[in-house]
Amino acid sequence: MRMYDIIVKKRDGGELTKEEIEFFVDGYTKGDIPDYQASALTMAIYFQGMTPEETATLTQAMVDSGETIDLSAIHGKKVDKHSTGGVGDKVTFIVGPLVASVGVPVAKMSGRGLGHTGGTLDKLESIKGLEIEMTKEKFIENVNTHKLAVAGQTGNLAPADKKLYALRDVTGTVDSLPLIAGSIMSKKLASGADSIVLDVKTGSGAFMKTLEDSENLAREMVNIGNNLGRNTVAVISDMNQPLGYEVGNANEIREAAEILQGKNVEDLRKLSLEIASHMAVLAEVFSSYEEAYSALEANIENGKAFQSLRTLIEAQGGDVSMIDDLDKLPQAKYDIEVKADKDGFVSEIDAESIGIAAMYLGAGRATKEDQINHGVGITLNKKIGDEVKAGEALVILHSDEEAAQASVDKVMEAYTISGERVEKPTLIHNIIK
Ligand code: URA
């Protein structure tokens, strides 16, 4: 088999066989196929697309290129959750304890990564003492005992994707639906879950800006999951503004804990219950969405969901008093109000700019070596549709510097205030199964 023939076949619109896709993924991972041929093929895929069978085969080949995590020693159906990424997205900290409280086993492997705020692990490390490095045996034991554990990702998962994603990044071939879907799903499938709920974001702060693109990506991912024997459901949710009111690390943990204690931050609570309900149905703990939703809601009201968060923290050596008394979480030195310059209604909040403003404060990493400052972050006082008067605070910056001018400017850039009344955006656009 020759790589040249595979490139020409795809360039001319042909459908690649399983053997051809495996030849490419295997050869590229080992270094036998050079970057220039891999980039020619990804460009051909960019223009010609892939059939659902080709996409599933590509994904499986990327999974098989490295280690996979074996969760079979965990009792029950393991359901994972993945978000395509957004600002203020602390849903994992809510749905993990929530679904664990109704008996769904949650074996969460998470990363750090670069971003406007820390990754899941960084945010959790706002809690003093919380240990995210543990042996595989301990991880499995914790899930079997407490239904929930969160650990740092170990192992060499989907190395073919790692290499290919880096290549796509510099050759203009990231924006190909089958390649994005295969890339995301290869990492999820290698992590060992039986079923997956995807939170596909849509809007100005999302990877996919239009609803149509988000739905197409969701369909590709659901097809891959179902083709490879994992029940997969995608929730398409809005990212035209940050989710909830807190953006940062410790303050996102605080907001998640408050939701579990029954606080009604409308968008965040609703999306968390939606995702948790689909997870509980896929785990076969409930037979219907409605049944799952009301049981989960009841566990917020009766305190079981919050107790499940406490158990997670205790089991992993964290200081649970920081969750019982949220004022004990790390806090920044200064609170700086960023004020509206006119009367009106908030019509837009560019989520990405809010994320960048948080990163300027030190909430995220610009390079791998950067340290996260857990106490800094942003509290939004106003969201889309809210009325505002000139001089009223739009947000509060939690900063360790007295004047955080770059962040203030970025927040002012993020907010648009209109003279006309504005509707609140729809939160959940579609469910794709
Ligand atoms: N995120 C991924 O993991 N892969 C892509 O291709 C795009 C976004």
Side-chain angles (χ1 to χ4, degrees):
M1 208 177 287
R2 290 194 315 161
M3 189 58 197
Y4 175 85
D5 300 320
I6 298 175
I7 296 168
V8 169
K9 185 175 181 188
K10 184 43 80 182
R11 182 198 67 189
D12 295 344
E15 180 171 348
L16 301 181
T17 64
K18 183 169 181 283
E19 290 71 29
E20 286 164 338
I21 292 172
E22 286 172 352
F23 174 83
F24 161 61
V25 172
D26 189 46
Y28 187 56
T29 312
K30 287 189 181 135
D32 297 342
I33 292 169
D35 280 348
Y36 56 83
Q37 285 189 313
S39 56
L41 182 64
T42 51
M43 189 58 87
I45 293 171
Y46 175 91
F47 282 111
Q48 296 291 359
M50 286 185 124
T51 64
E53 290 72 31
E54 284 179 298
T55 312
T57 305
L58 173 72
T59 309
Q60 187 63 52
M62 294 201 293
V63 172
D64 294 340
S65 70
E67 292 171 38
T68 51
I69 295 167
D70 179 7
L71 299 178
S72 58
I74 295 174
H75 315 307
K77 281 208 175 263
K78 280 76 65 183
V79 188
D80 202 355
K81 171 245 160 205
H82 176 78
S83 157
T84 58
V87 178
D89 186 357
K90 68 281 286 177
V91 166
T92 292
F93 308 115
I94 302 167
V95 300
L98 191 49
V99 299
S101 78
V102 293
V104 177
V106 182
K108 190 80 195 149
M109 299 261 178
S110 288
R112 296 180 190 280
L114 299 177
H116 304 131
T117 59
T120 299
L121 298 182
D122 300 301
K123 291 178 189 178
L124 271 179
E125 282 174 348
S126 304
I127 300 163
K128 201 168 71 197
L130 194 128
E131 189 50 70
I132 44 85
E133 306 297 340
M134 63 185 93
T135 61
K136 184 176 171 241
E137 290 69 31
K138 180 75 184 156
F139 180 65
I140 287 174
E141 185 193 319
N142 277 7
V143 182
N144 277 335
T145 314
H146 307 297
K147 295 287 168 207
L148 175 61
V150 184
Q153 213 155 61
T154 54
N156 189 19
L157 304 187
D161 170 63
K162 198 168 180 188
K163 199 167 169 193
L164 210 50
Y165 192 13
L167 181 78
R168 287 165 52 217
D169 209 20
V170 292
T171 54
T173 49
V174 166
D175 297 324
S176 149
L177 282 182
L179 294 179
I180 299 171
S183 166
I184 295 174
M185 290 301 282
S186 66
K187 287 169 280 205
K188 281 288 112 184
L189 296 175
S191 304
D194 300 315
S195 332
I196 301 159
V197 176
L198 300 163
D199 180 8
V200 179
K201 305 288 188 191
T202 190
S204 63
F207 187 58
M208 291 287 161
K209 310 286 179 209
T210 69
L211 183 56
E212 194 187 348
D213 283 349
S214 308
E215 287 178 342
N216 287 336
L217 176 63
R219 265 185 216 104
E220 290 270 359
M221 292 198 286
V222 168
N223 275 336
I224 294 172
N226 292 339
N227 256 317
L228 298 178
R230 310 313 208 282
N231 282 333
T232 306
V233 173
V235 175
I236 313 280
S237 74
D238 198 72
M239 190 34 72
N240 280 303
Q241 61 179 338
L243 190 58
Y245 286 88
E246 302 291 344
V247 178
N249 293 283
N251 58 335
E252 289 198 23
I253 294 286
R254 179 182 322 118
E255 192 173 34
E258 285 171 345
I259 297 279
L260 291 170
Q261 287 170 324
K263 185 171 175 184
N264 189 12
V265 177
E266 207 189 314
D267 57 350
L268 187 55
R269 175 178 158 112
K270 195 167 160 195
L271 181 60
S272 300
L273 279 164
E274 181 73 28
I275 290 171
S277 302
H278 291 292
M279 289 173 78
V281 171
L282 287 181
E284 296 174 3
V285 170
F286 297 100
S287 51
S288 77
Y289 165 89
E290 290 74 19
E291 220 185 308
Y293 198 100
S294 49
L296 291 161
E297 222 174 8
N299 274 10
I300 293 181
E301 309 318 327
N302 64 24
K304 286 189 184 160
F306 181 65
Q307 183 53 39
S308 168
L309 174 67
R310 294 185 79 257
T311 305
L312 166 77
I313 294 167
E314 275 178 329
Q316 296 193 202
D319 179 358
V320 81
S321 78
M322 290 178 118
I323 286 294
D324 290 335
D325 176 1
L326 294 168
D327 289 340
K328 285 192 178 173
L329 283 166
Q331 294 193 27
K333 290 192 193 129
Y334 304 101
D335 282 346
I336 303 167
E337 290 191 346
V338 183
K339 294 174 181 166
D341 53 8
K342 60 179 175 192
D343 291 357
F345 298 87
V346 176
S347 60
E348 279 175 48
I349 308 175
D350 181 58
E352 212 161 317
S353 297
I354 297 290
I356 293 168
M359 190 169 81
Y360 289 163
L361 295 171
R365 286 188 189 88
T367 70
K368 269 196 261 179
E369 289 70 36
D370 287 353
Q371 292 288 320
I372 297 276
N373 182 338
H374 292 101
V376 302
I378 298 179
T379 302
L380 308 185
N381 279 3
K382 299 286 178 185
K383 294 197 61 174
I384 296 178
D386 287 346
E387 189 170 4
V388 56
K389 299 269 175 243
E392 241 188 311
L394 295 170
V395 315
I396 298 172
L397 302 180
H398 309 291
S399 170
D400 275 349
E401 285 168 40
E402 207 165 346
Q405 199 53 47
S407 297
V408 172
D409 293 345
K410 208 71 199 165
V411 167
M412 288 308 285
E413 211 180 294
Y415 270 80
T416 307
I417 296 172
S418 141
E420 319 262 298
R421 194 168 280 282
V422 178
E423 290 288 316
K424 288 199 179 292
T426 302
L427 175 67
I428 294 166
H429 295 276
N430 203 351
I431 308 292
I432 292 175
K433 292 185 183 180

